[in-house]
Amino acid sequence: MRVGVLTGGGDCPGLNAVIRAIVRKGVPEYGYNFLGFRDGWRGPLEAATMPLDIPAVRGLLPRGGTILGSSRTNPFAIEDGVQRIKRNLQNLGVDALIAIGGEDTLGVATQLHDAGVNVVGVPKTIDNDLSGTDYTFGFDTAVGIATEAIDRLHTTAESHHRVLIVEVMGRHAGWIALHSGMAGGANIILIPEVPFDIDQVCRYVEARFRLHYAPIIVVSEGAKPKEGEESLHSGEKDAFGHVRLGGVGEYLAREIESRTGKEARTTVLGHVQRGGTPSSRDRWLATRFGLHAIDAVAEEKWGMMTALRGTDIVMVPLAEATKELKVVDPALYAEAEVFFG
Ligand code: F6P
């Protein structure tokens, strides 16, 4: 049996650990051979492959990024995309595909499964916004990086009596902002799920200065003010129709300065949150997902995805996991609000 493996969408720490676990179990235990597809769905679309055997996965556990490369290629936005993939898989003798990705990559996997491709999914995203699994790998590393940044910004904010704003990733869901903001003791956390009132933000800022402390604001890149959101981001879109985000931190700094007279500066963490070595928790989760994904192939659990439930790894239907995003519950946000201002 020949198994293809691909990583699609935004990269995240732990992808290589999944690939390693798949191959390290799949070769000796099941006698499978593997083929790496390059750059997400571009690989099967263009028959762009690389060898994937045990020597190829040596030393991968702590390595960030993905040796297979990634892209946001959407085969459903390309004429004849699905037929080309099916043809290439057949020509390459690939019997099954393991797709490691987030909402878009696994959304494609779901539709390919419906089109008759033998596919198993593995969820990844630093945003942690995939349904069906308690956590995705990559998230823990990103939260750790953001928390360290917040810790460092506290001391410089105090020294200069400034408002410091940290813009973190999180397109539709505020999980990174919520977790790192709570862990780092942010005074305000703004997330996409709860449009913010800029007057209220300024009241929190002033309250914080009255206590002789400098405010730290953590904002998800996808957060929006109750009014005027259109002007924040460029109109540029990817193949899945997502707008390229960025600008809410600068918007906040401008508004806060003009309304409160306090100096406000923004740090955009951007891709720093996605790069570098995975945390030990992400290596653990990614490795277990890889082991269970190859078991799922052996058991022909097509159209299913590995998921974490508590400390167990279970299989859930891809269709269920990609139906809707997992966003922050208002009750969790209310917990964080206790510390605002
Ligand atoms: O989906 C993960 C993510 O990191 C989002 O938080 C972010 O909006 C997006 O990817 C950025 O993607 P790119 O690196 O393609 O600009």
Side-chain angles (χ1 to χ4, degrees):
M1 169 119 151
R2 174 170 261 203
V3 183
V5 182
L6 66 84
T7 52
D11 70 339
C12 79
L15 287 168
N16 284 327
V18 183
I19 299 166
R20 167 182 174 269
I22 289 170
V23 175
R24 287 287 297 272
K25 185 164 188 182
V27 172
E29 192 152 328
Y30 296 115
Y32 295 159
N33 69 76
F34 292 90
L35 194 63
F37 282 105
R38 292 187 181 274
D39 305 337
W41 291 113
R42 185 182 82 76
L45 260 175
E46 297 176 10
T49 63
M50 61 179 271
L52 198 57
D53 51 12
I54 290 191
V57 301
R58 292 249 182 258
L60 284 193
L61 194 52
R63 205 186 321 158
T66 162
I67 56 162
L68 298 175
S70 194
S71 74
R72 295 192 185 277
T73 305
N74 180 1
F76 287 91
I78 295 168
E79 209 189 316
D80 205 22
V82 177
Q83 290 318 316
R84 271 168 63 186
I85 288 182
K86 288 179 91 169
R87 220 171 22 243
N88 286 334
L89 293 181
Q90 198 175 13
N91 291 344
L92 292 163
V94 172
D95 308 290
L97 202 55
I98 299 179
I100 311 167
E103 54 162 324
D104 297 325
T105 306
L106 296 183
V108 170
T110 310
Q111 294 182 69
L112 284 179
H113 167 65
D114 294 343
V117 177
N118 294 337
V119 59
V120 164
V122 175
K124 69 85 220 175
T125 164
I126 64 163
D127 287 2
N128 197 40
D129 58 359
L130 270 167
S131 299
T133 182
D134 291 352
Y135 286 97
T136 48
F137 63 86
F139 174 66
D140 184 65
T141 308
V143 169
I145 291 165
T147 304
E148 191 195 336
I150 297 165
D151 287 347
R152 289 176 184 278
L153 290 170
H154 271 295
T155 60
T156 170
E158 296 295 347
S159 306
H160 289 268
H161 318 291
R162 281 173 178 150
V163 183
L164 289 185
I165 299 154
V166 193
E167 184 180 309
V168 298
M169 281 190 167
R171 182 187 291 283
H172 306 291
W175 293 110
I176 296 178
L178 186 72
H179 281 230
S180 65
M182 259 188 145
N187 310 113
I188 306 170
I189 300 170
L190 304 174
I191 61 175
E193 294 86 337
V194 185
F196 59 84
D197 175 353
I198 189 69
D199 293 322
Q200 179 59 50
V201 169
C202 291
R203 282 196 288 278
Y204 284 141
V205 164
E206 281 164 338
R208 185 74 185 165
F209 276 119
R210 276 199 297 279
L211 295 172
H212 306 290
Y213 291 109
I216 302 284
I217 304 177
V218 179
V219 59
S220 306
E221 60 182 355
K224 17 188 184 314
K226 283 183 173 160
E227 284 157 24
E229 73 175 278
E230 306 80 28
S231 53
L232 284 183
H233 311 290
S234 76
E236 207 174 318
K237 290 189 179 168
D238 68 18
F240 289 91
H242 302 302
V243 171
R244 187 190 285 189
L245 298 177
V248 66
E250 281 305 327
Y251 163 84
L252 281 167
R254 265 195 323 273
E255 292 297 318
I256 291 168
E257 278 198 355
S258 74
R259 288 163 191 249
T260 68
K262 298 289 183 189
E263 185 183 359
R265 298 284 191 88
T266 299
T267 303
V268 180
L269 292 185
H271 293 90
V272 167
Q273 295 157 98
R274 290 220 311 242
T277 188
S279 68
S280 51
R281 188 182 162 80
D282 279 339
R283 295 183 208 185
W284 168 84
L285 182 56
T287 298
R288 293 188 70 207
F289 275 173
L291 297 174
H292 285 258
I294 198 62
D295 289 344
V297 167
E299 291 158 22
E300 302 191 357
K301 291 190 171 159
W302 313 130
M304 303 290 275
M305 174 189 99
T306 59
L308 181 71
R309 295 274 169 86
T311 55
D312 292 334
I313 308 291
V314 298
M315 298 303 295
V316 299
L318 273 169
E320 189 189 298
T322 54
K323 206 165 51 202
E324 58 181 8
L325 287 174
K326 181 180 70 192
V327 293
V328 173
D329 187 311
L332 283 178
Y333 190 64
E335 288 178 5
E337 275 179 315
V338 170
F339 303 96
F340 288 8

